[in-house]
């Protein structure tokens, strides 16, 4: 089931990098697949129901605060809940750290390339145009960091390499 989870993470990352959003159907599909792996005892990280449900709850509620502050999209929050079902509470902190570090590098590169006087268009080529959150017509904030994509990459890194060191 690790390959199914990695495929789902890849879909999330590609979609979020390209569209700067995570569609509900993709987050829901991941949650349902995670629940199925738990029901059949084939969870990729060998987690149990308690660990998975705690991971989902903490993942969702932890990012819900950032959504309420207007700095994160709802798709990121829903994805974090579904991701928690896959990886469980025990892997959530390392995945958050990896994803946040990657998102931080993205933000720093974005700022540097926006201010680079020689080739300011390089930022658009590398990162695309920042887009507003879909369906949010009241907000003028832009969301140019695909946080769900970085969480997905962090989870993939943890699934492939993180478990080996533990």
């Amino acid at each position: 089931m690790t390959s199914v989870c990695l495929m789902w993470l890849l879909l999330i990352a590609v979609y979020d990098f390209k569209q700067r959003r995570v569609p509900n159907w993709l987050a829901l599909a991941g949650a349902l697949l995670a629940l199925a792996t738990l029901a059949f005892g084939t969870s990729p990280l060998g987690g149990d129901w308690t660990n998975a449900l705690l991971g989902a709850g903490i993942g969702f509620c932890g990012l819900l605060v950032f959504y309420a502050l207007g700095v994160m999209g709802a798709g990121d929050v829903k994805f974090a809940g579904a991701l928690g079902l896959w990886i469980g509470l025990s892997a959530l902190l390392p995945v958050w750290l990896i994803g946040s570090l990657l998102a931080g590098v993205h933000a720093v590169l974005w700022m540097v390339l926006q201010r680079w006087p020689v080739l300011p268009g390089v930022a658009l080529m590398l990162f695309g145009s920042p887009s507003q959150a879909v369906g949010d017509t009241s907000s003028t904030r832009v969301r140019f960091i695909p946080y769900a994509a970085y969480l997905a990459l962090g989870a993939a890194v943890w699934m492939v390499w993180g478990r080996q060191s533990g």
Side-chain angles (χ1 to χ4, degrees), residues 2-158:
T2 301
S3 59
V4 172
C5 184
L6 289 172
M7 183 61 72
W8 176 67
L9 293 171
L10 177 65
L11 285 171
I12 291 286
V14 168
Y15 206 102
D16 198 27
F17 274 126
K18 291 184 81 153
Q19 303 291 323
R20 296 300 196 260
R21 61 183 292 272
V22 176
N24 288 335
W25 67 266
L26 197 49
L28 181 61
L32 292 174
L33 285 169
L35 290 171
T37 64
L38 285 164
F40 290 110
T42 58
S43 180
L45 297 181
D48 60 3
W49 281 97
T50 303
N51 192 26
L53 292 175
L54 282 171
I58 298 293
F60 183 85
C61 292
L63 294 188
L64 189 60
V65 172
F66 295 104
Y67 172 74
L69 294 172
V71 296
M72 186 169 289
D76 298 326
V77 177
K78 291 177 251 185
F79 168 69
L83 180 62
L85 283 173
W86 278 104
I87 65 174
L89 181 60
S90 57
L92 200 55
L93 182 60
V95 167
W96 261 347
L97 290 174
I98 295 167
S100 295
L101 287 172
L102 291 171
V105 168
H106 179 113
V108 168
L109 284 174
W110 175 264
M111 289 187 298
V112 167
L113 290 175
Q114 285 294 321
R115 292 176 176 89
W116 192 19
V118 179
L119 295 170
V122 173
L124 288 176
M125 183 179 72
L126 292 176
F127 299 108
S129 175
S131 61
Q132 287 189 335
V134 174
D136 186 9
T137 57
S138 64
S139 174
T140 59
R141 294 184 185 184
V142 293
R143 294 185 176 94
F144 61 91
I145 298 178
Y147 191 67
Y150 290 123
L151 279 179
L153 292 175
V157 165
W158 181 256

